[in-house]
Amino acid sequence: MNKAIKLLSLVLFGIMSTAAVNYIATEWSIDKSHSNIDFEVRHFFTPVNGTFHDYNATVNFDPANLEESMIDVEIMVNSIDTRNERRNGHLKTADFFNAEKYPKITFKSSKIESKGDNKFVAHGDLTIKDVTKKIEMPFTLLGVMDHPRGGKVAGITSEFVIDRNVYGVGTGDWVSDAVVGKEVTATLNLELNSK
């Protein structure tokens, strides 16, 4: 009788362990040589583009297991690049990002939901300077396939708009949107490799 109970316990433990392993969303690393975090903002009438070269992201994502999926992004403000050194330096000052006091921009997801057709929305907190706001970050899963060197490779792309003034990015005369537009379009293109 005791042997039967022990055997049943082992079987149940094995089933529960397998279920737990299957329940964990896939952990991905970013291939930065094939990824970018960019933005676009209007200067008078003309869109001006920029990018952030230094960033980190934690991506645990499985379309079949959104409950355990998450996307967290950390961007280093000092890595901003608009292809103009004078403008880059100005953006790092207290007029805009105040990079010395607030060196990072972060996004931390709280949940991810499916919108169908490989489209998703990551709900979470975006922090710029000392302001945190809840936003929705829509993204599209471009595809998943076997990587020639092992594991899986996937691609996701996201585009969304934020109001820079809500986050205090622009003080004094720079609050006005006459010269620099208040709406900033952020674009993320990430190539992911399964860990």
Side-chain angles (χ1 to χ4, degrees), residues 104-134:
K104 298 176 184 178
I105 297 169
T106 62
F107 172 77
K108 295 186 178 294
S109 67
S110 55
K111 73 171 184 177
I112 297 176
E113 64 176 336
S114 173
K115 293 297 184 178
D117 195 28
N118 285 329
K119 297 186 184 301
F120 304 85
V121 175
H123 301 261
D125 293 330
L126 176 65
T127 301
I128 303 176
K129 299 176 78 171
D130 58 347
V131 179
T132 299
K133 297 288 183 182
K134 294 193 180 300

Side-chain angles (χ1 to χ4, degrees), residues 92-106:
K92 296 173 188 179
T93 69
D95 281 347
F96 289 95
F97 286 103
N98 199 351
E100 185 176 349
K101 188 173 182 180
Y102 307 108
K104 298 176 184 178
I105 297 169
T106 62

Side-chain angles (χ1 to χ4, degrees), residues 7-192:
L7 182 60
L8 181 59
S9 297
L10 286 171
V11 170
L12 288 173
F13 178 76
I15 292 170
M16 291 172 65
S17 297
T18 302
V21 169
N22 290 337
Y23 195 65
I24 296 171
T26 304
E27 186 176 358
W28 302 87
S29 61
I30 295 178
D31 180 351
K32 290 189 178 180
S33 63
H34 299 104
S35 301
N36 56 279
I37 296 180
D38 299 331
F39 63 90
E40 180 181 283
V41 64
R42 176 182 53 77
H43 183 262
F44 287 112
F45 303 105
T46 309
V48 173
N49 298 299
T51 192
F52 290 96
H53 293 295
D54 189 9
Y55 55 89
N56 298 300
T58 301
V59 180
N60 295 341
F61 179 68
D62 182 346
N65 184 11
L66 295 180
E67 191 171 331
E68 292 296 308
S69 296
M70 51 88 77
I71 299 175
D72 289 357
V73 182
E74 184 179 78
I75 300 168
M76 310 308 164
V77 174
N78 270 325
S79 72
I80 195 168
D81 182 5
T82 63
R83 298 180 303 281
N84 182 294
E85 287 303 317
R86 182 178 178 183
R87 182 168 56 218
N88 294 345
H90 189 198
L91 289 170
K92 296 173 188 179
T93 69
D95 281 347
F96 289 95
F97 286 103
N98 199 351
E100 185 176 349
K101 188 173 182 180
Y102 307 108
K104 298 176 184 178
I105 297 169
T106 62
F107 172 77
K108 295 186 178 294
S109 67
S110 55
K111 73 171 184 177
I112 297 176
E113 64 176 336
S114 173
K115 293 297 184 178
D117 195 28
N118 285 329
K119 297 186 184 301
F120 304 85
V121 175
H123 301 261
D125 293 330
L126 176 65
T127 301
I128 303 176
K129 299 176 78 171
D130 58 347
V131 179
T132 299
K133 297 288 183 182
K134 294 193 180 300
I135 69 162
E136 295 181 359
M137 186 182 82
F139 67 94
T140 301
L141 177 64
L142 300 173
V144 181
M145 63 179 286
D146 291 330
H147 197 291
R149 296 181 179 176
K152 299 282 186 182
V153 59
I156 63 174
T157 186
S158 173
E159 182 175 295
F160 57 97
V161 176
I162 63 170
D163 183 340
R164 65 177 177 86
N165 285 329
V166 168
Y167 295 90
V169 180
T171 60
D173 292 341
W174 299 104
V175 171
S176 168
D177 64 357
V179 177
V180 179
K182 67 177 183 177
E183 291 190 342
V184 179
T185 301
T187 305
L188 285 73
N189 291 302
L190 304 178
E191 184 165 300
L192 309 171

